[in-house]
Amino acid sequence: MKYAVAAIAGLAVLSGCATFGGDMVVRVSGRVPTGQSDDGGLGCELSMLGESGNVVSSKPVGRVFSVPMMVVAGPEPKGYHFIVQCRDGQRFESDVVQISSQRSYARHLDLGELQAR
């Protein structure tokens, strides 16, 4: 009986997060073009920027990456974009990506190849 109550409570919390929003983990994957001074894929940082341009989250990455990132997502879509800054000075950006707690397929964001800026 305790397990059934715990399972029902857990489902209620999960459905509430999908309806009202909250912390959500998304997997962000992509790659940046290989440069002439490629350092073996080390020394880059991926930053997630919100609509206001503020950094929401950052992670160290290589030139090919797939990392989990935390975002506060509500039922209405919000635009985020991603920047990869490498140690050699190269900078790459993604297009704006819409994230919402209503869209379960948005939990994995494949950015493809980011463009040099």
Side-chain angles (χ1 to χ4, degrees), residues 88-108:
D88 64 3
Q90 294 184 5
R91 179 183 166 110
F92 306 91
E93 290 188 35
S94 73
D95 291 331
V96 173
V97 176
Q98 299 293 318
I99 300 177
S100 165
S101 63
Q102 295 291 323
R103 296 174 28 196
S104 62
Y105 61 86
R107 308 263 170 142
H108 181 212

Side-chain angles (χ1 to χ4, degrees), residues 64-95:
V64 176
F65 57 88
S66 182
V67 295
M69 297 186 96
M70 181 77 70
V71 64
V72 177
E76 296 299 319
K78 289 187 180 181
Y80 294 89
H81 75 277
F82 298 85
I83 295 175
V84 173
Q85 179 76 40
C86 296
R87 183 175 47 212
D88 64 3
Q90 294 184 5
R91 179 183 166 110
F92 306 91
E93 290 188 35
S94 73
D95 291 331

Side-chain angles (χ1 to χ4, degrees), residues 1-115:
M1 183 66 174
K2 288 181 184 180
Y3 297 114
V5 172
I8 292 170
L11 288 174
V13 168
L14 289 176
S15 65
C17 287
T19 303
F20 301 111
D23 290 346
M24 184 170 81
V25 176
V26 294
R27 176 154 294 277
V28 181
S29 57
R31 63 193 173 284
V32 296
T34 302
Q36 292 178 351
S37 62
D38 187 20
D39 59 4
L42 300 175
C44 299
E45 182 172 90
L46 172 68
S47 296
M48 173 190 277
L49 284 74
E51 291 176 335
S52 64
N54 294 333
V55 175
V56 176
S57 182
S58 294
K59 295 261 180 154
V61 296
R63 294 202 177 264
V64 176
F65 57 88
S66 182
V67 295
M69 297 186 96
M70 181 77 70
V71 64
V72 177
E76 296 299 319
K78 289 187 180 181
Y80 294 89
H81 75 277
F82 298 85
I83 295 175
V84 173
Q85 179 76 40
C86 296
R87 183 175 47 212
D88 64 3
Q90 294 184 5
R91 179 183 166 110
F92 306 91
E93 290 188 35
S94 73
D95 291 331
V96 173
V97 176
Q98 299 293 318
I99 300 177
S100 165
S101 63
Q102 295 291 323
R103 296 174 28 196
S104 62
Y105 61 86
R107 308 263 170 142
H108 181 212
L109 305 173
D110 185 359
L111 304 175
E113 187 169 276
L114 279 69
Q115 301 302 311

